[in-house]
Amino acid sequence: MPAQQPAVSVIMPVLDEERHLRESVRHILAQEYEGEMEVVIALGPSTDRTDEIAAELVRETASHPRARVRTVPNPTGRTPAALNAAIKASRHPVVVRVDGHGMLSPDYIATAVRLLEETGAQNVGGIMHAEGENAWEQAVAAAMTSRIGVGNAAFHTGGEAGPAETVYLGVFRREALEQQGGYNEEFIRAQDWELNFRIREAGGLIWFSPELKVQYRPRPSVKALAKQYRDYGRWRHVVARYHPGSINLRYLAPPTALCAIAAGLIAGALVTPWALVVPAGYLAAITAGSVPAGRGLPPKARAQIPVALATMHMSWGFGFLTSPRSLAAKVIASRRPSVRRDASEV
C-alpha cells in the first residue's frame, strides 16, 4: 500500500493581482496531488479587486474536499513580510511558495514532494516559464527565456537537475523555514536568494530540477518592466555587498553595457562619430539575438523583442549602478546568522 502523501501548505503573497489571482488559485486546486492542501493568501494593500476576489475564493472553497483558501493581512505590502505571515498562519510540513501571477503545472506539487524525498533537499524549485497573453507580453516572455536576455540563469532558460544557489519560488520543508526564522523582511527583493543562502550555509541542499515548471505572466507595459528590472539590479547590488564574492560576469554585463552605451553616445556627440559604434553595436546585437528568441511568435511580438531586451538590460544596469550603500548597510545590519540543526535532530 503506497505511503500517504504529506499535507502541503501553499503560500501566496499578493498585491494588485486581480488579473491573475483566480486563475493562479485554480491551478493550485487542480493539482494532481492526493495529499491534503491549504492555500494561504497574504493580502497587501491592493488598489484593485484583489481582496474581493480573494474573499470569493474563500467562500467558494469552504466545502472543498481537499484544499481550502484562507487569507491573512499584510499591511506593509512587502513580499517577505507577506511570506512570513502566510508561513506563520499555515500548518503543514511542506510549504509551497506561489506568486499571484504564477500558474503551477498540473504535477508541480507531486513532483516537488517526490524530489524533496529523493534528494534530501530543504528546498526544490524549477523553471520560471514566462508566457504572454498579448504581443508585448509574448515579446517579454521571449526575452526572459533567452540567453541574450538573462544569460545562463537555469531557472529562466533550463538546465540539468542538480544543486543550486537559489531557485525560483521554491517548495520547502517547513523545518528549514522555521530553523532559519523565515525570510529576512529587509530584503524587499532577492529575499529568496538570501534565505537560500542561509539554508545552504547551515548545510542544507537547494535543488534545481527542470521537471518543475511555473507559468509566469510578464509585466504588461514597458514602464512596469523597467521598474521590475531596475529593482532587480538595485537589490542584486545589495546582495553583492551583503555577500562579497557572489557577483559574477552575468551580473556585471548590464551595468557595463549601460556605461559603454552612455559613453559612446556622449563621445559621439562631443568628440567623434566613431564612438557611436558602441551603441550601434549593442542595437545590432539585441536585434540579431531577438531572431532566434522570437521563433514561432507573431510578427508584432517579434518586432518588440529588442525593446524588451533593451528595457531589461538598461533598467537592470541603472538599478545596479544607483543602488545606495545605505540600503546595503541597513540590510547587512539585519543579517541573520544561519541556524544549523542540533546533532540530536539529525
Side-chain angles (χ1 to χ4, degrees):
M1 184 175 180
Q4 184 176 2
Q5 292 183 299
V8 167
S9 296
V10 181
I11 60 172
M12 299 181 69
V14 299
L15 179 69
D16 293 328
E17 290 286 1
E18 69 171 356
R19 184 178 173 192
H20 300 300
L21 178 57
R22 178 172 288 280
E23 185 182 2
S24 181
V25 171
R26 181 180 66 79
H27 279 74
I28 296 169
L29 300 180
Q31 284 293 293
E32 298 167 358
Y33 188 72
E34 296 180 359
E36 182 182 352
M37 293 193 297
E38 64 175 351
V39 182
V40 182
I41 302 175
L43 297 171
S46 296
T47 57
D48 60 10
R49 294 184 59 252
T50 296
D51 287 12
E52 181 181 337
I53 293 169
E56 293 172 357
L57 291 167
V58 170
R59 290 193 299 270
E60 292 166 9
T61 60
S63 58
H64 195 283
R66 280 191 315 116
R68 298 181 182 181
V69 176
R70 294 188 290 121
T71 62
V72 292
N74 173 35
T76 68
R78 293 182 171 186
T79 297
L83 291 167
N84 284 342
I87 291 167
K88 184 177 181 180
S90 65
R91 54 197 173 91
H92 294 321
V94 176
V95 179
V96 180
R97 177 184 170 178
V98 183
D99 285 341
H101 46 273
M103 315 296 162
L104 300 184
S105 53
D107 62 346
Y108 182 88
I109 292 178
T111 301
V113 169
R114 172 176 60 79
L115 289 171
L116 285 174
E117 179 64 26
E118 290 177 354
T119 65
Q122 301 298 300
N123 180 22
V124 299
I127 295 175
M128 177 183 178
H129 185 65
E131 291 186 355
E133 296 181 324
N134 55 44
W136 166 249
E137 292 179 2
Q138 289 170 347
V140 176
M144 292 179 71
T145 54
S146 67
R147 291 191 179 276
I148 192 173
V150 295
N152 62 350
F155 68 82
H156 282 293
T157 61
E160 296 293 326
E165 285 191 351
T166 191
V167 291
Y168 179 54
L169 301 178
V171 177
F172 299 83
R173 298 178 189 270
R174 175 177 293 277
E175 62 190 31
L177 293 172
E178 292 179 345
Q179 283 161 4
Q180 301 306 326
Y183 291 84
N184 184 333
E185 296 186 12
E186 293 297 334
F187 273 84
I188 309 306
R189 297 277 188 180
Q191 65 275 158
D192 300 286
W193 186 94
E194 191 276 337
L195 173 59
N196 285 318
F197 170 74
R198 281 187 281 129
I199 292 174
R200 288 187 291 109
E201 194 175 49
L205 174 65
I206 311 300
W207 188 265
F208 167 81
S209 174
E211 292 183 78
L212 298 172
K213 185 178 291 187
V214 181
Q215 293 179 13
Y216 170 85
R217 298 293 187 256
R219 296 297 193 269
S221 66
V222 173
K223 180 179 179 181
L225 182 68
K227 181 182 184 303
Q228 178 187 17
Y229 272 79
R230 182 201 66 195
D231 289 346
Y232 282 169
R234 185 184 200 201
W235 282 93
R236 193 60 189 79
H237 205 162
V238 171
V239 168
R241 288 166 171 158
Y242 174 88
H243 181 54
S246 68
I247 204 70
N248 60 40
L249 292 177
R250 176 164 64 91
Y251 299 126
L252 294 177
T256 300
L258 177 59
C259 290
I261 290 168
L265 290 172
I266 293 171
L270 301 178
V271 182
T272 172
W274 285 105
L276 296 175
V277 71
V278 177
Y282 172 77
L283 180 60
I286 61 172
T287 301
S290 69
V291 174
R295 285 197 183 101
L297 294 181
K300 187 176 180 181
R302 292 201 302 270
Q304 296 182 77
I305 294 176
V307 178
L309 288 169
T311 301
M312 290 162 56
H313 294 161
M314 298 300 101
S315 299
W316 204 102
F318 179 80
F320 188 93
L321 292 170
T322 59
S323 181
R325 286 187 175 274
S326 59
L327 181 60
K330 182 180 180 182
V331 167
I332 291 169
S334 72
R335 185 191 298 270
R336 296 181 180 184
S338 59
V339 179
R340 290 183 177 271
R341 288 182 292 177
D342 295 334
S344 60
E345 296 179 32
V346 179

